[in-house]
């Protein structure tokens, strides 16, 4: 048992904190130059942090990536870091055709291009039977038809990971990596509460080369499961980072803000709000780090730990934000104040990669109920 | 970071489980009623057996008969003992006054008391709270006045667990009534058989005799029973509380109750003919409780891990105590809901489900959020020490 950071983890944490506090934060989230920021992120080597060296990455592993994502959450980092590093790259490394890996991984790892995932449909469900988009075999590959919702960075990305139905059984789903420039892709922009560029992508007989299927035909669902699990664990750690930051700014505020001639942080009612926030944040931090560690180690308990972490993070961190609003009073209710930016992200992350109902069900299964 | 124990630690856990299976009575479900003769006999037998295995004080330094066991090894011990509701884990001696004597005690005190504690041959009790000094412990009034080579004690202690079983008490007394309240306190060791010590039982709302009122009427205590410096008792006395505030016992009790409840849900059939565990609302609540327990467990592990790094994170200890007691309470509350009309049939009644244990435990663990610093005091400490919010 070691609840501290090792040397590598501490190095990643410190450099991420230093960089992101300077370059990211509320200003970037509001109106910053996202492209310029992303170039700097690429210079830091972060897109390739957990990618193997042979594909141009730093091969530092998923736990180090988790440490980075915790800071990314604390400082509202922008850009498709999560999409590629957490979701797409481990999947491609594990199962994609060598030709595909060589073609796209190095450019993704150095940040010169980016990736998005297009799995969910109108149902917003993570069950295989709810994948309705189809991929049909053609002479030289596949043709994908269907509509994908909630695609983050769907217009900015150069590669899109798509789940499509290739057979009649519920789990007959396959995974494809589609070039964003391919034929038949149209997009519709939706306004996401977090400010993340989000689109609905429609594929109309979009042509996909045969080597762009990931793994075998009809055997893509386990990859989606693994991707969702990683997504949930890393969203939990991202929420932990966000929660810690919201706690910090709220503690600073109540020490400074005076009413009745004293800082409001000297009132017990306010102190107990802050203490509750501190306990929630600490619990989520530990649960989320445990979840990321379990995923990185392929622990037999990973399913349990991930659902626990995601459930705790999704319930407690939005609560931490609401309590922070209460402690800030009227100023925290304004658009001008930064607090709502964190709340918007917390509410968005809380429902991604499995909402409370989905993870409750998974956890109950894992607990043999 | 690494979220697993070492192979050696896990091996210790399994040896301890085997030991408990051998030593506890067949079909033991606990918890022990230490007010009963049989219950106390079991406590004493288990304590001796633990001492014989070298586990009773394994967290002590070797020079005092321990094994220098790590804080993490130690928390595994506490977790398994609590999970199995096994009596014999001597908190007051091995976890509180023992370590205090090692740090503050004189050589005579160490050689007089430590071997007996290590052998499981002495019972201690803790004389802190008074009728008018609860959360504001530092306002305690029990007086000790120096008279030659003795202190003469007058006053009353209350909520004293196991005073009726104890050979000795470590107590906080006021030795300088004129000093600021934290600076006029000292710690004394008192033989419970000294003339003038009177122990009166207080029955708790769960129906058992677990604690007492202890009165002191001109009780003469040898001056060499002073622990640490005169008037430094607040510091000496508070050094035991970080142990008291690790929440692992509550986490383990909560986990055991959760496991029993889960098995109950698998075994019992609901009105629709399906097991209760197939009911989505029950699955949901049980999953929520599991998350609460796991979160509290990690905080307790964090306390132990930090101690191992040589740190004493008072705010995390408070978080752990608060989270552990709440998690345990949440499981018991839900258990009573699930058991419904049968949950309030008391232990020993025909038809009582789970032997009436959930009701009894829910009544008993009402104390969890009160003793050793109430939940509200823990929140104050988190705000002051962890977040450095201003005290007024």
């Amino acid at each position: 048992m070691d609840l501290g950071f090792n040397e590598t983890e501490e190095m990643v944490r410190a450099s991420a904190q230093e960089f992101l506090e300077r370059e990211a934060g509320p200003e970037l989230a509001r109106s910053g130059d996202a492209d310029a920021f992303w170039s700097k992120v690429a210079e830091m080597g972060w897109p390739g942090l957990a990618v193997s060296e042979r594909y141009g990455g730093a091969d530092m592993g998923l736990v180090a990536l988790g440490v980075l994502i915790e800071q990314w959450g604390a400082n509202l980092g922008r850009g498709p870091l999560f999409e590629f590093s957490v979701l797409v790259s481990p999947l491609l490394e594990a199962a994609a055709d060598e030709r595909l890996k060589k073609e796209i991984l190095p450019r993704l790892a150095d940040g010169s291009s980016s990736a998005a995932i297009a799995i969910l449909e109108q149902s917003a469900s993570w069950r295989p039977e709810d994948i309705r988009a189809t991929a049909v075999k053609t002479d030289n590959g596949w043709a994908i038809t269907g509509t994908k919702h909630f695609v983050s960075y769907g217009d900015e990305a150069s590669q899109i990971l798509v789940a499509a139905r290739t057979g009649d059984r519920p789990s007959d789903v396959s995974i494809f990596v589609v070039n964003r420039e391919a034929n038949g892709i149209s997009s519709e922009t939706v306004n996401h509460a977090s400010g993340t560029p989000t689109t609905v992508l429609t594929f109309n007989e979009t042509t996909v080369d045969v080597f762009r299927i990931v793994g075998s035909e009809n055997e893509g669902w386990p990859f989606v499961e693994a991707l969702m699990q990683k997504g949930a664990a890393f969203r939990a750690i991202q929420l932990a980072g966000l929660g810690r930051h919201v706690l910090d700014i709220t503690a600073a505020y109540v020490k400074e803000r005076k009413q009745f001639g004293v800082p409001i942080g000297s009132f017990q009612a306010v102190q107990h709000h802050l203490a509750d926030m501190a306990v929630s944040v600490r619990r989520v931090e530990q649960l989320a780090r445990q979840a990321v560690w379990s995923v990185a180690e392929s622990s037999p308990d990973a399913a349990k730990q991930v659902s626990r972490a995601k459930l705790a993070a999704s319930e407690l961190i939005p609560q931490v934000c609401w309590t922070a609003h209460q402690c800030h009073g009227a100023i925290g209710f304004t658009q001008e104040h930064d607090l709502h930016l964190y709340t918007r992200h917390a509410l968005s992350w809380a429902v991604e990669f499995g909402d409370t109902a989905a993870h409750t069900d998974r956890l109950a299964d894992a607990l043999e109920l | 970071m690494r979220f697993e124990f070492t192979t050696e630690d896990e091996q210790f856990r399994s040896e301890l489980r085997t030991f408990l299976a051998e030593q506890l009575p067949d079909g033991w479900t606990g918890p022990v009623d230490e007010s009963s003769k049989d219950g106390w006999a079991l406590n004493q037998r288990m304590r001796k057996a633990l001492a014989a295995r070298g586990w009773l004080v394994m967290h002590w330094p070797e020079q005092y008969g321990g094994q220098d066991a790590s804080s993490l090894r130690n928390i595994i011990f506490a977790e398994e003992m609590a999970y199995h509701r096994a009596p014999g884990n001597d908190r007051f001696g091995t976890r509180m006054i023992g370590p205090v004597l090692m740090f503050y005690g004189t050589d005579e005190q160490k050689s007089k008391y430590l071997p007996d504690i290590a052998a499981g041959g002495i019972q201690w009790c803790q004389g802190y709270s008074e009728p008018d000094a609860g959360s504001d412990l530092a306002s305690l009034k029990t007086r000790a006045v120096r008279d030659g080579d003795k202190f003469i004690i007058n006053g009353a202690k209350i909520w004293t667990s196991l005073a009726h079983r104890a050979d000795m008490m470590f107590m906080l007394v006021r030795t300088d009534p004129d000093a600021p309240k934290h600076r006029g306190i000292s710690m004394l060791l008192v033989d419970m058989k000294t003339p003038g010590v009177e122990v009166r039982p207080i029955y708790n709302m769960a129906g058992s005799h677990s604690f007492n009122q202890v009165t002191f009427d001109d009780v003469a205590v040898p001056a060499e029973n002073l622990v640490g410096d005169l008037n430094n008792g607040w510091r000496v006395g508070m050094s035991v509380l970080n142990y008291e505030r690790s929440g692992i016992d509550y986490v383990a009790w909560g986990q055991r109750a959760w496991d029993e409840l889960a098995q109950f849900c698998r075994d019992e059939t609901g009105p629709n003919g399906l097991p209760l565990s197939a009911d989505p609302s029950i699955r949901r609540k049980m999953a929520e409780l599991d998350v609460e327990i796991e979160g509290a467990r990690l905080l307790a592990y964090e306390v132990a891990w930090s101690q191992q790094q040589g740190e004493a994170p008072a705010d995390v200890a408070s978080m752990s105590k608060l989270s552990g007691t709440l998690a345990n309470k949440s499981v018991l509350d839900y258990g009573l809901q699930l058991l419904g009309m049968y949950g309030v049939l008391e232990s020993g009644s025909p038809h009582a489900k789970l032997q009436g244990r959930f009701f009894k435990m829910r009544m008993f663990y009402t104390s969890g959020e009160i003793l050793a610093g109430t939940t509200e005091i823990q929140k104050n400490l988190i705000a002051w020490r962890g977040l450095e919010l201003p005290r007024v």
Side-chain angles (χ1 to χ4, degrees), chain A residues 1-6 9 63 67 247 251 254-255 263 265-266 268 271-272 274-276 278-279 282-283 286-287 289-290 293 305 308 311-312 356 360-361 363-365 367-369, chain B residues 1-6 72 258 262 265-266 277 283-284 286-287 290-292 294-296 298-299 301-302 305 315-316 319 322-323 376 379-380 382-384 387-392:
Chain A
M1 187 74 51
D2 182 359
L3 303 182
F5 289 173
N6 67 22
E9 291 155 9
V63 173
V67 172
L247 171 64
V254 302
K255 285 179 206 175
S266 63
Q268 197 172 43
Q271 291 181 344
H272 284 196
L274 270 291
D276 287 339
V279 176
R282 196 68 164 218
R283 271 167 58 185
Q286 296 297 10
L287 286 167
R289 289 172 187 173
Q290 174 168 264
W293 182 87
Q305 305 299 22
R308 284 169 171 163
L311 284 168
T356 295
T360 302
D361 211 37
L363 180 55
D365 283 344
L367 295 168
E368 295 169 27
L369 288 172
Chain B
M1 54 184 98
R2 202 167 68 105
F3 285 86
E4 63 184 355
F5 287 101
T6 61
L72 284 168
W258 189 97
C265 292
R266 293 180 197 112
S277 58
R283 281 162 54 86
R284 176 168 188 152
M286 290 298 284
D290 168 82
V291 174
E292 197 178 344
E294 184 69 13
L298 288 177
L299 290 178
Y301 287 169
E302 188 182 349
W305 175 80
D315 63 322
V316 184
M319 290 181 189
L322 178 160
S323 301
E376 291 72 20
K379 288 185 183 182
N380 291 353
I382 294 164
W384 297 337
L387 301 169
E388 296 172 344
L389 297 188
R391 291 179 74 159
V392 284

Side-chain angles (χ1 to χ4, degrees), chain B residues 33-35 202-211 360 364:
Chain B
D33 179 2
E34 284 169 343
S35 58
I202 301 173
Y203 284 81
N204 64 37
M205 66 192 258
S208 57
H209 173 200
S210 61
F211 51 22
K360 197 174 180 70
F364 182 76

Side-chain angles (χ1 to χ4, degrees), chain A residues 22-356:
Chain A
R22 177 164 37 87
E23 302 286 346
E27 211 154 315
L28 177 73
R30 280 178 193 277
S31 57
D33 183 343
D35 291 341
F37 173 71
W38 184 252
S39 307
K40 291 179 195 165
V41 169
E43 276 169 36
M44 296 293 286
W46 288 349
L49 190 80
V51 175
S52 302
E53 284 177 21
R54 58 191 300 228
Y55 302 114
D59 205 7
M60 289 170 81
L62 286 178
V63 173
L65 183 60
V67 172
L68 171 60
I69 294 295
E70 191 171 334
Q71 293 301 319
W72 191 257
N75 295 286
L76 306 180
R78 272 184 96 175
L81 180 71
F82 195 100
E83 284 67 20
F84 171 63
S85 308
V86 176
L87 305 175
V88 174
S89 86
L91 195 161
L92 293 191
E93 284 214 42
D97 187 278
E98 191 59 34
R99 179 177 160 193
L100 181 64
K101 288 198 262 193
K102 282 198 174 126
E103 190 178 307
I104 66 174
L105 276 176
R107 290 178 41 71
L108 288 164
D110 71 15
S112 56
S113 71
S114 64
I117 60 158
I119 294 170
L120 301 182
E121 303 190 1
Q122 199 172 10
S123 65
S125 141
W126 286 93
R127 292 177 308 177
E129 57 268 34
D130 291 321
I131 302 296
R132 303 277 168 80
T134 57
V136 181
K137 261 195 183 126
T138 62
D139 291 347
N140 43 13
W142 300 85
I144 295 179
T145 300
T147 299
K148 295 292 181 180
H149 287 248
F150 307 106
V151 184
S152 302
Y153 302 99
D155 286 338
E156 290 78 358
S158 55
Q159 306 291 336
I160 316 278
L161 191 87
V162 181
R165 177 154 301 288
T166 41
D168 297 329
R169 290 173 304 167
S171 65
D172 283 346
V173 171
S174 306
I175 306 293
F176 302 89
V177 179
V178 179
N179 192 322
R180 182 66 179 81
E181 304 294 313
N183 65 296
I185 304 178
S186 57
S187 95
E188 178 191 1
T189 300
V190 291
N191 291 327
H192 199 268
S194 67
T196 307
T198 306
T199 56
V200 177
L201 287 185
T202 298
F203 300 83
N204 185 9
E205 296 187 2
T206 299
T207 309
V208 183
D209 285 332
V210 68
F211 74 96
R212 282 177 165 266
I213 188 169
V214 180
S216 308
E217 184 180 346
N218 291 335
E219 285 172 18
W221 192 252
F223 298 128
V224 176
E225 275 282 327
L227 178 148
M228 178 208 177
Q229 196 177 73
K230 282 201 184 70
F234 281 77
R235 275 293 188 249
I237 209 168
Q238 199 170 11
L239 279 161
L242 182 146
R244 170 67 59 193
H245 188 82
V246 168
L247 171 64
D248 288 347
I249 58 180
T250 307
Y253 180 76
V254 302
K255 285 179 206 175
E256 191 181 283
R257 168 75 176 167
K258 284 189 177 167
Q259 287 291 278
F260 307 103
V262 291
I264 60 171
S266 63
F267 300 133
Q268 197 172 43
V270 175
Q271 291 181 344
H272 284 196
H273 274 323
L274 270 291
D276 287 339
M277 292 166 73
V279 176
S280 294
V281 169
R282 196 68 164 218
R283 271 167 58 185
V284 172
E285 275 173 352
Q286 296 297 10
L287 286 167
R289 289 172 187 173
Q290 174 168 264
V292 166
W293 182 87
S294 306
V295 167
E297 296 286 314
S298 308
S299 153
D301 281 339
K304 238 189 257 183
Q305 305 299 22
V306 169
S307 288
R308 284 169 171 163
K310 185 60 170 44
L311 284 168
S314 301
E315 185 197 338
L316 297 176
I317 300 304
Q319 232 174 61
V320 163
C321 293
W322 296 130
T323 308
H325 283 285
Q326 184 66 20
C327 294
H328 276 79
I331 191 69
F333 178 62
T334 62
Q335 191 169 50
E336 171 198 340
H337 196 279
D338 294 332
L339 188 56
H340 73 94
L341 297 170
Y342 297 92
T343 309
R344 286 165 170 274
H345 280 85
L347 293 174
S348 304
W349 296 339
V351 293
E352 290 177 354
F353 302 102
D355 56 16
T356 295

